[in-house]
Amino acid sequence: MFIKETPENEQGSIFTTKLTGSGVFIIGLLVLSLIALGERILYDMGRFLAPAPLDYFNNLGVILVHAFFIIPLLVISIIVNVSISTHKQRYAVVLIPYYVFTIIMALQLALEYGVYFSQHHTVIEFYIVMTVFVAVCTYGIYYIQSKYKPQV
């Protein structure tokens, strides 16, 4: 219904799925809903668990509270990606919105940390932290890609 079934698609990864117009619409709607929900969760967590003021870029407490939500979400997404991505593409309609949501949340957290470190630390400290961050992300991408085995 939401996926165009073709013989070559049946065993591929979810990222090569050909979606129908209604599938794209549903995925877009779910992504926007997840982002709205995630942003509200971040706002409420920052408001209730972090010291005032509620500032996403200048209050390290708020950024750390956001990390306690986003990092486990990212870990769960990576585990699901590694374990399910080589299965049939019928899961794509469900999985793609959650991957996009997780990526957006991780990018937001990276932006928060980047802005905080650039405003509150020396240039050398900023370069060290961002270099470590880039190295960890690069290794994570390498690890995920090394586990992916396309089915022939």
Side-chain angles (χ1 to χ4, degrees):
M1 177 178 194
F2 297 119
I3 298 173
K4 293 179 183 175
E5 292 292 334
T6 58
E8 67 272 5
N9 278 351
E10 284 199 25
Q11 298 296 325
S13 86
I14 65 167
F15 300 108
T16 59
T17 303
K18 294 181 182 175
L19 300 169
T20 63
S22 59
V24 171
F25 176 75
I26 294 293
I27 286 173
L29 192 61
L30 183 55
V31 166
L32 292 176
S33 299
L34 287 168
I35 292 170
L37 179 63
E39 286 299 325
R40 186 58 196 206
I41 290 170
L42 291 178
Y43 174 76
D44 286 340
M45 286 179 71
R47 192 170 51 144
F48 292 123
L49 301 175
L54 181 63
D55 187 348
Y56 282 23
F57 298 107
N58 288 316
N59 187 340
L60 186 59
V62 172
I63 296 170
L64 291 174
V65 167
H66 289 179
F68 283 119
F69 172 70
I70 295 172
I71 291 174
L73 186 70
L74 184 62
V75 169
I76 291 168
S77 179
I78 289 170
I79 290 169
V80 169
N81 183 20
V82 170
S83 64
I84 294 180
S85 66
T86 57
H87 291 267
K88 292 185 179 181
Q89 294 178 346
R90 65 178 172 209
Y91 301 116
V93 172
V94 175
L95 295 177
I96 290 173
Y98 291 97
Y99 293 152
V100 171
F101 166 67
T102 303
I103 290 167
I104 290 171
M105 290 288 109
L107 289 174
Q108 177 177 335
L109 183 63
L111 179 66
E112 289 176 12
Y113 273 119
V115 170
Y116 178 81
F117 274 100
S118 70
Q119 293 177 354
H120 294 90
H121 292 83
T122 65
V123 174
I124 291 295
E125 291 171 336
F126 176 76
Y127 279 122
I128 290 170
V129 168
M130 288 297 120
T131 302
V132 169
F133 181 71
V134 167
V136 167
C137 290
T138 302
Y139 178 75
I141 292 168
Y142 169 76
Y143 179 76
I144 290 170
Q145 289 295 339
S146 70
K147 295 295 180 187
Y148 175 70
K149 305 221 182 322
Q151 296 179 358
V152 181

